[in-house]
Amino acid sequence: MRILSGIQPSGKLHIGNYFGMMRPMINNMDRGELYAFVVNLHALTSVHDGRRLADDTLEAAADFVALGLDPDKCIFWVQSDVPEVTELAWILSTVTPLGLLERCHSYKDKVARGVAACHGLFAYPVLMAADILLYQAELVPVGKDQKQHLEVARDIAIKFNNTFGDTFILPEPGIDDDVATVPGIDGQKMSKSYGNTIGIFLDEKTLKKSVMAIVTDSTPVDEPKDPDKCNLYNIFKLFAPEERLGEVHELYVNGGAAYGYLKLELVDILWEYFRQAREIREKLVDDKTYLQDILAKGAEKAREKAQPTLNLVRERVGLRYR
Ligand code: ADP
Ligand code: TRP
């Protein structure tokens, strides 16, 4: 099976990204042919600082490898190093009904939050469809917020296949129900753009500050509380060992759960959980050439995979005239 997913280099990696996309990708490493990439062309829709985008691109790659992605077991590259994708995006855009894009929540949400409503932002799902269809991906592990974008990719593939003959495989979303939406410190979906994240590679002081800021209610310690409605518990349960989670669940149900203590415990758990990844990441960030080399080799392999599909598309739509 061909499994593919990408992450934007547009901010610091948070635990929502980890559970929604990175961990499923890493866990899928032995299940099939894995395609992982850093989608810097997509990030251009929100980052307009060249130096920052270039730095964040390498950092996002370091995050992925530090958390366990093995570049020898997958194709790992930076989106813009395979220019075929932009040609395919243009061709796909010529069969994409406008209404399909007008319905996209992500575009509407971003504009409502003040992101400039440029054409690239509107056309974002078409480029994402090109990312997926160019490699004939079958499974795309993502968080729930990307479900609609996957539906758009499928709809575009169907439209193209119906117009020009069978060309693209229809991709399926891989959404893990247990962690489909990781809550942020305020209880909304955790997202860079909501400023409610808990970063994975924060220094200890900043990590503590984020965790202590998790919003909880004012129920007194001794009173019973519903764990499932508690934001702190919902984050805690993603990391705590099973036995400890059972004890904490009891404290919630029977009374005795002290939010302050649980938050401090969560800081320690998180710090340990990502210790190894943090150490590997520090080395990767120090030795940029190692990562650059991996990404260059990955781009070469990705291009080899992309070209047959693009050639077929060119043929189907009539761009081959010689
Ligand atoms: P953000 O919303 O912080 O900008 P991205 O859009 O860059 O995050 O998402 C990168 C990947 O992480 C996507 O697959 C997305 O679905 C997943 N993801 C982001 N936030 C969450 C979350 N809170 N819960 C689960 N998955 C998430
Ligand atoms: N839109 C995705 C996000 O914000 C990133 C992305 C771009 C992607 N192209 C992709 C994810 C292809 C999966 C497959 O997270």
Side-chain angles (χ1 to χ4, degrees):
M1 179 161 43
R2 270 195 190 172
I3 306 162
L4 170 146
S5 196
I7 180 124
Q8 290 193 63
S10 56
K12 302 283 174 223
L13 193 75
H14 57 73
I15 60 177
N17 301 139
Y18 177 64
F19 285 103
M21 184 277 212
M22 282 211 176
R23 196 180 64 164
M25 282 292 278
I26 290 160
N27 288 347
N28 269 316
M29 229 155 29
D30 297 311
R31 262 189 76 197
E33 231 182 299
L34 198 74
Y35 291 67
F37 58 141
V38 180
V39 294
N40 57 346
L41 294 172
H42 279 105
L44 278 176
T45 59
S46 60
V47 183
H48 290 154
D49 173 341
R51 188 65 262 154
R52 201 189 116 201
L53 183 63
D55 288 347
D56 285 359
T57 299
L58 267 190
E59 290 213 6
D63 292 345
F64 229 140
V65 174
L67 286 163
L69 188 86
D70 179 348
D72 290 330
K73 287 190 178 170
C74 65
I75 301 184
F76 183 46
W77 77 103
V78 173
Q79 185 187 29
S80 63
D81 285 336
V82 181
E84 283 77 0
V85 77
T86 51
E87 183 177 338
L88 181 60
W90 173 255
I91 296 171
L92 295 179
S93 79
T94 63
V95 295
T96 304
L98 212 59
L100 199 60
L101 302 180
E102 279 166 350
R103 284 196 290 277
C104 285
H105 311 300
S106 171
Y107 171 76
K108 286 188 264 189
D109 286 355
K110 284 180 182 165
V111 173
R113 273 185 276 113
V115 179
C118 63
H119 171 259
L121 193 65
F122 187 66
Y124 180 113
V126 183
L127 180 59
M128 181 160 161
D131 280 335
I132 297 168
L133 304 180
L134 185 60
Y135 302 98
Q136 304 282 13
E138 292 159 279
L139 183 71
V140 183
V142 280
K144 199 168 154 206
D145 60 329
Q146 294 297 315
K147 190 164 183 262
Q148 193 183 33
H149 285 159
L150 258 294
E151 285 160 5
V152 170
R154 278 176 73 91
D155 285 347
I156 294 176
I158 292 170
K159 188 78 196 294
F160 188 97
N161 288 351
N162 287 343
T163 312
F164 295 106
D166 265 359
T167 307
F168 296 119
I169 289 177
L170 302 187
E172 296 287 340
I175 299 173
D176 183 346
D177 282 339
D178 293 343
V179 286
T181 306
V182 174
I185 59 172
D186 57 357
Q188 292 187 77
K189 170 194 132 74
M190 183 175 287
S191 173
K192 279 165 269 191
S193 26
Y194 298 163
N196 63 356
T197 63
I198 298 178
I200 293 182
F201 297 117
L202 299 175
D203 61 77
E204 206 168 358
K205 199 167 150 214
T206 317
L207 175 68
K208 186 168 172 190
K209 209 167 147 210
S210 305
V211 172
M212 296 316 277
I214 294 176
V215 178
T216 43
D217 63 19
S218 52
T219 316
V221 174
D222 294 334
E223 272 182 39
K225 310 168 184 66
D226 182 348
D228 296 327
K229 290 207 180 112
C230 177
N231 202 17
L232 173 60
Y233 182 84
N234 284 326
I235 298 176
F236 196 91
K237 76 175 180 199
L238 297 169
F239 297 95
E242 212 174 304
E243 202 181 318
R244 178 61 186 146
L245 189 62
E247 288 166 9
V248 171
H249 192 271
E250 288 294 296
L251 289 175
Y252 268 85
V253 175
N254 300 323
Y259 296 137
Y261 286 110
L262 288 176
K263 286 181 181 177
L264 289 173
E265 186 178 343
L266 179 59
V267 174
D268 289 342
I269 293 177
L270 282 167
W271 189 250
E272 279 313 308
Y273 196 93
F274 292 114
R275 176 186 292 282
Q276 198 191 3
R278 192 166 49 243
E279 288 167 3
I280 298 173
R281 186 178 184 279
E282 273 163 25
K283 289 193 192 121
L284 289 169
V285 171
D286 276 351
D287 181 7
K288 285 192 179 152
T289 52
Y290 171 75
L291 266 182
Q292 284 163 337
D293 193 41
I294 287 177
L295 293 167
K297 287 188 183 124
E300 239 174 76
K301 286 192 218 158
R303 279 195 93 169
E304 265 170 40
K305 299 284 183 180
Q307 274 160 356
T309 309
L310 187 63
N311 285 339
L312 179 64
V313 169
R314 285 176 177 154
E315 172 109 38
R316 290 264 151 93
V317 301
L319 294 180
R320 285 199 151 174
Y321 59 92
R322 275 189 283 265

